Amino acid sequence: MRSASSSSLSHTSSTTNTLQVEKGLAIFALFGGCLFYMKYVKKLDLIGNLMLLISWANIQFDVFVLFQDISMFPSLISILNVIFAFHILGSRAGFIHATLHFIGFLTFIVMKSLNLLTFDQPPIALTPTQLLLSFILVFMILVYLIYHYHQAFQMAKRSLDIHIEELSRAKEMAEEMNRLKTNFLSNMSHEIRTPINGILGISQVIELESKEDTIREYVKLQRKAGDDYSILSTAS
């Protein structure tokens, strides 16, 4: 009788472990397919939320049914899920999924403290195969997030380099335009000042030799305007 009971318990444990391995492989394949779909199709919202909801449901199944406790791997995967949600889906989706994971853990803690949970079978321990699959899944998600953060950093760096180069070219162009403007004004002032000096000299002669007050008044105004221009051109 004891042998039969032991054999039945061993068979049940073996079946549970087999189901766990199959579940882990299925989730691993699903996550891998979703990641590649997101990379090449560029539709993030639907697939991203679906991935996170599947992962959340798997965490609840592990905590409430299999492990019957909040162990390290569900906690770690929950943290990665929240980081993934904030990074890929934005702040709003990140807060929603963070709240969802928190409520799941809080519900388990409250129900367990109030003795509302009854377990038909003892909690199971992860087999080496399950540990390996969990590690690969967590590592894959972590590498994916690091890769995207690196890509975002490189894109921002390239954009910054382009802006710096454009600003440098604009600065050089502005300096060149300012130099050309200065040269132009200098040349124009010289070209205009030469005949004006001649005109002012003749005006001075007219002012000295003319006997008519009206003409002398006009010549004074002309000389004043010429002197004002000379002062302005010298200052510029």
Side-chain angles (χ1 to χ4, degrees), residues 113-151:
S113 63
L114 297 177
N115 296 319
L116 298 177
L117 294 176
T118 56
F119 304 107
D120 297 333
Q121 296 179 352
I124 66 168
L126 289 175
T127 64
T129 303
Q130 294 167 349
L131 285 171
L132 179 62
L133 287 174
S134 300
F135 172 76
I136 292 174
L137 180 60
V138 171
F139 182 76
M140 184 176 178
I141 295 174
L142 191 58
V143 169
Y144 179 80
L145 292 174
I146 293 174
Y147 169 78
H148 269 270
Y149 278 119
H150 177 72
Q151 290 293 102

Coordinates of all heavy atoms in Angstrom, one line a residue, residues 113-151:
S113 N -2.0 35.2 4.5 CA -2.0 35.7 6.0 C -3.4 35.4 6.6 O -3.4 35.2 7.8 CB -1.6 37.1 6.1 OG -2.6 37.9 5.4
L114 N -4.5 35.4 5.8 CA -5.8 35.1 6.4 C -6.2 33.7 6.3 O -7.4 33.3 6.5 CB -6.8 36.0 5.7 CG -6.7 37.6 5.8 CD1 -7.7 38.3 5.0 CD2 -6.8 37.9 7.3
N115 N -5.2 32.9 5.8 CA -5.5 31.4 5.7 C -6.7 31.1 4.7 O -7.5 30.2 4.9 CB -5.8 30.7 7.0 CG -4.6 30.8 7.9 OD1 -3.4 30.6 7.5 ND2 -4.8 31.1 9.2
L116 N -6.7 31.9 3.6 CA -7.8 31.7 2.6 C -7.3 30.8 1.5 O -8.1 30.5 0.6 CB -8.2 33.1 2.1 CG -8.8 34.1 3.1 CD1 -9.1 35.4 2.4 CD2 -10.1 33.5 3.7
L117 N -6.1 30.4 1.5 CA -5.5 29.6 0.5 C -5.4 28.1 1.0 O -4.9 27.9 2.1 CB -4.2 30.1 0.0 CG -4.1 31.4 -0.7 CD1 -2.7 31.8 -1.0 CD2 -4.9 31.4 -2.0
T118 N -5.9 27.2 0.2 CA -5.8 25.8 0.4 C -5.1 25.1 -0.7 O -5.4 25.4 -1.9 CB -7.2 25.2 0.7 OG1 -8.0 25.4 -0.5 CG2 -7.9 25.7 1.9
F119 N -4.1 24.4 -0.4 CA -3.3 23.7 -1.4 C -3.5 22.2 -1.4 O -3.3 21.6 -0.3 CB -1.8 24.1 -1.2 CG -1.5 25.5 -1.2 CD1 -1.2 26.1 0.0 CD2 -1.6 26.3 -2.3 CE1 -1.0 27.5 0.1 CE2 -1.3 27.7 -2.2 CZ -1.0 28.3 -1.0
D120 N -3.9 21.7 -2.5 CA -4.1 20.2 -2.6 C -2.8 19.4 -2.7 O -2.7 18.3 -2.3 CB -4.9 19.9 -3.9 CG -6.3 20.5 -3.8 OD1 -6.8 20.7 -2.6 OD2 -6.9 20.8 -4.8
Q121 N -1.7 20.1 -3.2 CA -0.4 19.4 -3.4 C 0.6 20.3 -2.7 O 0.5 21.5 -2.6 CB -0.1 19.2 -4.9 CG -1.1 18.3 -5.6 CD -0.7 18.1 -7.0 OE1 0.1 18.8 -7.6 NE2 -1.4 17.2 -7.7
P122 N 1.7 19.7 -2.3 CA 2.8 20.4 -1.7 C 3.5 21.3 -2.8 O 3.4 21.0 -4.0 CB 3.8 19.4 -1.2 CG 3.5 18.1 -2.0 CD 2.0 18.2 -2.3
P123 N 4.2 22.4 -2.4 CA 4.9 23.2 -3.4 C 6.0 22.4 -4.1 O 6.6 21.5 -3.5 CB 5.4 24.4 -2.6 CG 5.5 23.8 -1.2 CD 4.3 22.9 -1.1
I124 N 6.2 22.7 -5.3 CA 7.3 22.1 -6.1 C 8.5 22.9 -6.1 O 8.5 24.2 -6.0 CB 6.8 21.7 -7.5 CG1 6.6 23.0 -8.3 CG2 5.6 20.9 -7.5 CD1 6.4 22.8 -9.8
A125 N 9.6 22.3 -6.3 CA 10.9 23.0 -6.5 C 11.3 22.9 -7.9 O 11.0 22.0 -8.7 CB 12.0 22.3 -5.6
L126 N 12.0 24.0 -8.4 CA 12.4 24.0 -9.8 C 13.4 23.0 -10.1 O 14.4 22.8 -9.3 CB 12.9 25.4 -10.1 CG 11.9 26.5 -10.2 CD1 12.6 27.9 -10.5 CD2 10.9 26.3 -11.3
T127 N 13.2 22.2 -11.1 CA 14.2 21.3 -11.6 C 15.4 22.0 -12.3 O 15.2 23.2 -12.7 CB 13.6 20.3 -12.6 OG1 13.2 21.0 -13.7 CG2 12.4 19.6 -11.9
P128 N 16.5 21.4 -12.5 CA 17.6 22.1 -13.2 C 17.2 22.6 -14.6 O 17.6 23.6 -15.0 CB 18.7 21.0 -13.3 CG 18.5 20.1 -12.1 CD 17.0 20.1 -11.9
T129 N 16.3 21.8 -15.3 CA 15.9 22.2 -16.6 C 15.0 23.5 -16.5 O 15.2 24.4 -17.3 CB 15.0 21.1 -17.2 OG1 15.8 19.9 -17.3 CG2 14.6 21.5 -18.6
Q130 N 14.1 23.5 -15.5 CA 13.3 24.7 -15.3 C 14.2 25.9 -14.9 O 13.9 27.1 -15.3 CB 12.3 24.4 -14.2 CG 11.2 23.4 -14.7 CD 10.4 22.9 -13.5 OE1 10.7 23.1 -12.3 NE2 9.4 22.1 -13.8
L131 N 15.1 25.7 -14.0 CA 16.0 26.8 -13.7 C 16.8 27.3 -14.9 O 16.9 28.6 -15.0 CB 17.1 26.3 -12.6 CG 16.5 26.1 -11.2 CD1 17.6 25.4 -10.3 CD2 16.1 27.5 -10.6
L132 N 17.2 26.4 -15.7 CA 17.9 26.8 -17.0 C 17.0 27.6 -17.9 O 17.4 28.7 -18.4 CB 18.5 25.6 -17.7 CG 19.2 25.9 -19.0 CD1 20.4 26.8 -18.7 CD2 19.6 24.6 -19.7
L133 N 15.8 27.2 -18.1 CA 14.8 27.9 -18.9 C 14.5 29.2 -18.3 O 14.4 30.2 -19.1 CB 13.5 27.0 -19.1 CG 13.7 25.8 -20.0 CD1 12.4 25.0 -19.9 CD2 14.0 26.2 -21.4
S134 N 14.3 29.3 -17.0 CA 14.0 30.6 -16.4 C 15.1 31.5 -16.6 O 14.9 32.7 -16.9 CB 13.6 30.4 -14.9 OG 12.5 29.5 -14.8
F135 N 16.3 31.0 -16.4 CA 17.5 31.9 -16.5 C 17.6 32.4 -17.9 O 17.9 33.6 -18.2 CB 18.8 31.1 -16.1 CG 20.0 31.8 -16.4 CD1 20.4 32.9 -15.6 CD2 20.8 31.5 -17.5 CE1 21.6 33.6 -15.8 CE2 22.0 32.2 -17.8 CZ 22.4 33.3 -16.9
I136 N 17.4 31.5 -18.9 CA 17.5 31.9 -20.3 C 16.5 33.0 -20.6 O 16.8 34.0 -21.3 CB 17.4 30.7 -21.3 CG1 18.6 29.8 -21.1 CG2 17.2 31.1 -22.7 CD1 18.5 28.5 -21.9
L137 N 15.3 32.8 -20.2 CA 14.2 33.7 -20.4 C 14.5 35.1 -19.8 O 14.4 36.1 -20.5 CB 12.9 33.2 -19.9 CG 11.6 34.1 -20.1 CD1 11.4 34.3 -21.6 CD2 10.4 33.4 -19.4
V138 N 14.9 35.1 -18.6 CA 15.2 36.4 -17.9 C 16.4 37.0 -18.6 O 16.4 38.2 -18.8 CB 15.5 36.1 -16.4 CG1 16.1 37.4 -15.7 CG2 14.3 35.7 -15.7
F139 N 17.4 36.2 -18.9 CA 18.6 36.8 -19.6 C 18.3 37.3 -20.9 O 18.8 38.4 -21.3 CB 19.7 35.7 -19.7 CG 20.9 36.1 -20.4 CD1 21.9 36.8 -19.6 CD2 21.2 35.8 -21.7 CE1 23.0 37.3 -20.2 CE2 22.4 36.2 -22.3 CZ 23.3 37.0 -21.5
M140 N 17.4 36.7 -21.7 CA 17.0 37.1 -23.0 C 16.3 38.5 -22.9 O 16.5 39.4 -23.7 CB 16.1 36.1 -23.7 CG 15.6 36.4 -25.1 SD 14.7 35.1 -25.8 CE 14.3 35.8 -27.4
I141 N 15.3 38.6 -21.9 CA 14.6 39.9 -21.8 C 15.6 41.0 -21.4 O 15.5 42.1 -21.9 CB 13.5 39.7 -20.7 CG1 12.4 38.7 -21.2 CG2 12.8 41.0 -20.4 CD1 11.4 38.4 -20.2
L142 N 16.5 40.6 -20.4 CA 17.5 41.6 -20.0 C 18.4 42.1 -21.1 O 18.6 43.3 -21.3 CB 18.3 41.0 -18.9 CG 19.2 42.0 -18.1 CD1 18.3 43.1 -17.4 CD2 20.0 41.2 -17.0
V143 N 18.8 41.2 -21.9 CA 19.7 41.5 -23.1 C 18.9 42.4 -24.1 O 19.4 43.4 -24.6 CB 20.3 40.3 -23.7 CG1 20.9 40.6 -25.1 CG2 21.3 39.6 -22.8
Y144 N 17.7 42.0 -24.3 CA 16.8 42.8 -25.2 C 16.7 44.2 -24.7 O 16.8 45.2 -25.5 CB 15.5 42.1 -25.3 CG 14.5 42.8 -26.2 CD1 14.6 42.7 -27.6 CD2 13.5 43.6 -25.7 CE1 13.7 43.3 -28.4 CE2 12.6 44.3 -26.5 CZ 12.7 44.1 -27.9 OH 11.8 44.8 -28.7
L145 N 16.4 44.4 -23.4 CA 16.2 45.8 -22.9 C 17.5 46.5 -23.0 O 17.6 47.7 -23.4 CB 15.8 45.7 -21.4 CG 14.3 45.2 -21.2 CD1 14.1 45.0 -19.7 CD2 13.3 46.1 -21.9
I146 N 18.7 45.9 -22.6 CA 20.0 46.6 -22.7 C 20.3 46.9 -24.1 O 20.8 48.0 -24.4 CB 21.1 45.7 -22.1 CG1 20.9 45.5 -20.6 CG2 22.5 46.2 -22.4 CD1 21.8 44.5 -20.0
Y147 N 20.0 46.0 -25.1 CA 20.2 46.3 -26.5 C 19.4 47.6 -27.0 O 19.9 48.4 -27.6 CB 19.8 45.1 -27.3 CG 19.8 45.4 -28.8 CD1 20.9 45.5 -29.6 CD2 18.5 45.6 -29.5 CE1 20.9 45.7 -30.9 CE2 18.5 45.8 -30.8 CZ 19.7 45.9 -31.6 OH 19.6 46.1 -32.9
H148 N 18.1 47.7 -26.5 CA 17.3 48.8 -27.0 C 17.8 50.1 -26.3 O 17.8 51.1 -26.9 CB 15.8 48.5 -26.6 CG 15.1 47.9 -27.7 ND1 14.5 48.6 -28.7 CD2 14.9 46.6 -28.1 CE1 13.9 47.8 -29.6 NE2 14.2 46.5 -29.2
Y149 N 18.2 50.0 -25.0 CA 18.7 51.2 -24.4 C 20.0 51.6 -25.1 O 20.3 52.8 -25.3 CB 19.0 50.9 -22.9 CG 17.8 51.0 -22.0 CD1 17.3 50.0 -21.3 CD2 17.1 52.3 -21.9 CE1 16.2 50.1 -20.5 CE2 16.0 52.4 -21.1 CZ 15.6 51.3 -20.4 OH 14.4 51.4 -19.6
H150 N 20.8 50.7 -25.5 CA 22.1 51.0 -26.2 C 21.8 51.6 -27.6 O 22.4 52.6 -28.0 CB 22.9 49.8 -26.4 CG 24.2 50.0 -27.2 ND1 25.3 50.7 -26.7 CD2 24.5 49.6 -28.4 CE1 26.2 50.7 -27.6 NE2 25.8 50.1 -28.6
Q151 N 20.8 51.1 -28.3 CA 20.4 51.6 -29.5 C 19.8 53.1 -29.4 O 20.1 53.9 -30.2 CB 19.3 50.7 -30.2 CG 19.8 49.4 -30.7 CD 20.8 49.5 -31.8 OE1 22.0 49.4 -31.7 NE2 20.3 49.8 -33.0

